[in-house]
Amino acid sequence: MKKVVATAKTIEDAVQKALEELCVPREKVNVRILEEPSRGLFGLIGSRDAKVEVEVQYDPVDQGLAFLQDVLAGMNVDARVETRRGEEGMLFDIQGANLGIIIGRRGQTLDSLQYLVNVVANRHADKHVRIVLDAENYRQRRKETLEQLAERVTKKALSMKRSVRLEPMSAAERKVIHSFLQKRADVVTFSEGEEPNRYIVIAPKEASS
């Protein structure tokens, strides 16, 4: 975390001097007064300036965003990132053209980048912040695709009266399917296998016992 020591005639002037050097607003810093100003004898002899230490507060969202922007620049991807509060945490919505390289096959690159952003953002955070990355509305489109898959496989399992295994998926994608089918009374879902080849099984309730 960046911090500077500044001196001036008054505490406020010293703080303002530090803010200008750090290029951050007042609400983003912590201020520690090192020395109070003193006018000295007759206001002249032995006078002393105020001395403060100003430290930038650690903001995991800012750290994650800065890291993501550096990665995008390093990949020569011309994109902007909009941040907003989402249902699962802080959403970093990557916007631009031709973002397939960011998404990758079945979102694998996006998931890997999301993991790295969370590691960087939370390495010095007092409280963990979850950051979700999205690009070209991929998360919603993938969610709808997985729910449609779950619906088709459920019909197949019920018609065949036996369990059906899906292909291996990430933990986030398995969660989508588990959540989508958890309210159904005619099937159960469970995961089997070891990462990264863990998969979901959809089974009719009578066949699952």
Side-chain angles (χ1 to χ4, degrees):
M1 289 176 283
K2 293 181 179 179
K3 61 182 177 181
V4 299
V5 175
T7 58
K9 293 297 182 184
T10 67
I11 290 174
E12 283 306 313
D13 286 347
V15 171
Q16 186 59 39
K17 185 178 177 181
L19 293 176
E20 291 173 358
E21 184 175 342
L22 291 168
C23 298
V24 293
R26 180 67 176 81
E27 62 271 14
K28 292 278 189 177
V29 300
N30 295 319
V31 176
R32 186 161 70 96
I33 300 173
L34 301 178
E35 292 182 6
E36 294 277 358
S38 173
R39 294 186 62 187
L41 184 62
F42 306 120
L44 296 171
I45 303 172
S47 63
R48 184 178 62 196
D49 286 349
K51 188 176 183 180
V52 299
E53 180 185 79
V54 178
E55 182 178 35
V56 178
Q57 297 173 1
Y58 187 86
D59 188 326
V61 174
D62 287 347
Q63 293 296 318
L65 179 59
F67 172 76
L68 176 59
Q69 290 171 332
D70 286 345
V71 172
L72 294 176
M75 297 175 67
N76 294 317
V77 174
D78 184 15
R80 68 182 187 278
V81 182
E82 291 190 357
T83 63
R84 62 179 181 273
R85 184 70 60 182
E87 293 182 0
E88 298 184 19
M90 203 68 193
L91 176 65
F92 284 9
D93 188 8
I94 305 171
Q95 299 183 3
N98 303 316
L99 296 180
I101 188 174
I102 292 298
I103 298 171
R105 181 177 178 272
R106 289 176 55 185
Q108 291 178 341
T109 303
L110 192 64
D111 288 341
S112 297
L113 188 54
Q114 176 176 292
Y115 170 78
L116 292 175
V117 168
N118 275 275
V119 169
V120 171
N122 288 288
R123 58 185 170 181
H124 299 303
D126 294 329
K127 184 178 180 181
H128 186 274
V129 174
R130 174 168 168 73
I131 297 173
V132 178
L133 264 61
D134 200 3
E136 296 181 343
N137 202 31
Y138 173 79
R139 299 295 185 193
Q140 182 60 34
R141 290 187 288 109
R142 182 60 177 164
K143 179 175 181 288
E144 293 171 358
T145 298
L146 290 171
E147 290 176 347
Q148 292 168 6
L149 172 65
E151 192 70 45
R152 291 197 306 271
V153 175
T154 295
K155 290 179 179 179
K156 180 178 179 181
L158 291 173
S159 66
M160 298 174 63
K161 296 184 179 179
R162 66 177 180 83
S163 61
V164 178
R165 187 177 82 178
L166 279 68
E167 61 185 15
M169 297 178 184
S170 66
E173 292 189 336
R174 295 197 305 271
K175 180 181 178 182
V176 170
I177 292 180
H178 285 309
S179 298
F180 181 68
L181 295 177
Q182 67 179 356
K183 293 182 179 180
R184 292 195 61 140
D186 50 354
V187 295
V188 294
T189 63
F190 50 92
S191 296
E192 291 185 342
E194 300 294 329
E195 299 290 2
N197 297 312
R198 196 161 172 78
Y199 55 87
I200 284 181
V201 176
I202 300 177
K205 279 208 168 172
E206 61 270 21
S208 63
S209 57

